[in-house]
Amino acid sequence: SVGLSGRNLVEMPFGADARRFYPGRDLGLRAKLGIKDEEVVFLFVGGLDRAHYFKGIEVLLKACKQLGTDRPWRLLIVGDGDNKQSYQALYQSLALVKRVIFAGSVPFEELPDYYRAADVHVLPSIDRSEAWGLVTVEAQLTGLPSIVSDLPGVRTVIESHETGLLVPPGDVSALASAMRQLLDSPERRRKFSERASVRALERFDEQKLLARLISVYKSDKVNTIN
């Protein structure tokens, strides 16, 4: 908490269930999706509908084009919506058919498996309509390094150059460069992964957040918040 004009403020971010989102490796799902052991999987999770235009799928696909085909990588897109066909048309025009997997809508109970089948999480949002990155919280709890847009709220979920990388919103080349950095450095991915799971467990485990909230309500601090 911090003092402000004699009152106490306690930060209470959104969290996720660390009992479901935890580090691991789902080789079975990777095999089911046709992903080879040596392929580095970039994961996007989000809506593909017009209401979620700000998710930056076009930016992500164009960045993937810049990665080229001389490295072993795949992009796994989890989500569905009325813009899916236009995104599929774009990835076909970019000659990324063999590199991109559209997994469609995934049941919530199966979602952690997709995080554990991936190597890097990407949230390429293009504007402030993306106010918070719950999927990034889930990814960090699962031990995934994250590449996210440098937007208020979104950027606070990661620790820059410690658990992930920040990129300017809408910048295709910057996103491709960040993806290339993690693609080419298994050691950096490993370090980011280890730090991500530890930090996320400290900050975003919903059980700990609930306990903190109850503690605040029971303390005399609540009497200073009007």
Side-chain angles (χ1 to χ4, degrees), residues 44 46-49 52-64 75 77 83 87 90 122-127 130 149 151 169-172 175 179:
F44 170 87
L48 306 186
D49 55 344
H52 291 89
Y53 74 91
F54 55 86
K55 292 294 183 179
I57 299 294
E58 292 184 2
V59 174
L60 177 56
L61 290 173
K62 291 175 181 178
C64 285
L75 171 63
I77 296 177
N83 276 347
Y87 295 140
L90 176 60
V122 187
L123 184 64
S125 306
I126 59 174
D127 63 39
E130 186 76 81
S149 294
L151 291 166
D171 192 326
V172 172
L175 178 57
M179 294 172 72

Side-chain angles (χ1 to χ4, degrees), residues 112-132:
D113 298 334
Y114 282 79
Y115 286 107
R116 287 188 280 271
D119 298 283
V120 179
H121 166 254
V122 187
L123 184 64
S125 306
I126 59 174
D127 63 39
R128 293 193 180 198
S129 297
E130 186 76 81
W132 177 255

Side-chain angles (χ1 to χ4, degrees), residues 154-168:
V154 178
R155 60 178 169 240
T156 64
V157 181
I158 75 161
E159 189 175 10
S160 182
H161 295 283
E162 294 292 335
T163 73
L165 300 172
L166 295 174
V167 295

